Amino acid sequence: MNGCGLCAVFLFLSGAYGAGALLGDSPASVSLSLAGNGTGAGSALSIGTEPPGTRRTRRRRYISQNDMITILDYHNKVRGNVFPPASNMEYMVWDESLAKSAEAWASACLWEHGPQYLLRFLGQNLSVRTGRYRSILQLVKPWYDEVKDYAFPYPRDCNPRCPLKCYGPMCTHYTQMVWATSNRVGCAIHTCHNMNVWGSVWKRATYLVCNYSPKGNWIGEAPYKVGVPCSACPPSYGGSCSNNMCFPAVSTNYLHWFK
């Protein structure tokens, strides 16, 4: 595909692979959403030491504070307003380790999911766009828009496994966004030059990678439990509820990153 100054093309990927049976892919797009108990590379940040006299330089961040807050708030808005209502929807927080792993993959400028060794633990949604855009939500909102093609599997439909009722090309971006136990997300944005997207070379592409943990999209399972909001929260939340979501006892979920 030839680049053009004012035109804009948008594509997105989401997926489901990993240990156990996960939702499959559409032939038209690759989809990866994976589950696990950690972020693969570890949930704690490693802090290095510098020799005395070393001059420190401020590293450019792989996602702006505004974009990070916008992505996180949008996910929680979607999660808190699912229909039918969720009884066990967990509030999503920003995870620095997931963001760093997303940065590493985004910088590779490969239009596919990876790296493989992390996909056993993580869910992943991808978006790529060429041309101008005004808001990062232009790359994120199409994941949510799949809701129009998705029919939630009520308990009566799960005998014993829940069917995937998707009446469009793909629904796994949306289901990863609203997977109740996927309570951590980290994303990165990278500008890629001469990026190969399904056989076409995009001269300048904006590439968004979002990693989720624990992974979702398990075949045979519904994204969440239906019921009165916060009526089935894990005990670790101590009964705390906010905007229809099980809310963690934390003072902030992202601002510490920018101090």
Side-chain angles (χ1 to χ4, degrees), residues 12-13 15 17 31 36 65 73 89 126 188 201 208 216 230:
F12 52 94
L13 291 170
Y17 294 113
S31 174
Q65 181 177 5
D73 286 351
M89 185 64 70
L126 309 177
V201 176
L208 172 66
C230 299

Side-chain angles (χ1 to χ4, degrees), residues 58-115:
R58 185 174 180 84
R59 184 181 179 280
R60 182 185 178 189
R61 297 199 180 277
Y62 34 87
I63 188 168
S64 71
Q65 181 177 5
N66 286 340
D67 283 349
M68 184 198 69
I69 294 173
T70 298
I71 290 172
L72 184 61
D73 286 351
Y74 186 73
H75 274 76
N76 279 318
K77 179 181 178 181
V78 168
R79 291 166 71 84
N81 290 280
V82 292
F83 185 85
S87 64
N88 67 329
M89 185 64 70
E90 299 181 34
Y91 183 81
M92 186 171 277
V93 300
W94 189 263
D95 188 289
E96 173 71 357
S97 295
L98 292 174
K100 292 182 75 173
S101 65
E103 176 198 21
W105 189 247
S107 64
C109 293
L110 297 175
W111 183 233
E112 60 188 56
H113 289 278

Side-chain angles (χ1 to χ4, degrees), residues 49-57:
T49 58
E50 298 174 341
T54 299
R55 184 177 180 179
R56 300 184 64 182
T57 58

Side-chain angles (χ1 to χ4, degrees), residues 119-168:
L119 295 183
R120 295 176 298 148
F121 308 101
L122 309 181
Q124 189 176 78
N125 280 351
L126 309 177
S127 294
V128 65
R129 181 186 179 95
T130 185
R132 298 178 180 178
Y133 71 95
R134 291 177 294 178
S135 169
I136 192 63
L137 289 185
Q138 290 177 259
L139 285 90
V140 178
K141 190 175 181 294
W143 299 341
Y144 167 74
D145 289 342
E146 293 174 352
V147 67
K148 69 182 184 300
D149 298 321
Y150 181 68
F152 187 88
Y154 285 88
R156 64 177 177 271
D157 301 321
C158 304
N159 299 308
R161 296 159 68 85
C162 302
L164 171 62
K165 295 183 176 181
C166 183
Y167 300 100

Side-chain angles (χ1 to χ4, degrees), residues 34-54:
L34 309 170
N37 296 323
T39 59
S43 58
L45 295 179
S46 59
I47 303 176
T49 58
E50 298 174 341
T54 299

Side-chain angles (χ1 to χ4, degrees), residues 12-17 24-32 111-113 124 126 170 172-173 198:
F12 52 94
L13 291 170
S14 162
Y17 294 113
D25 297 336
S26 160
S29 67
V30 182
S31 174
L32 289 176
W111 183 233
E112 60 188 56
H113 289 278
Q124 189 176 78
L126 309 177
M170 182 71 64
T172 49
H173 303 87
W198 289 332

Side-chain angles (χ1 to χ4, degrees), residues 109 190-196 201-206:
C109 293
H190 192 80
T191 300
C192 297
H193 299 278
N194 298 318
M195 184 175 179
N196 190 314
V201 176
W202 291 16
K203 293 185 178 180
R204 183 181 175 89
T206 300

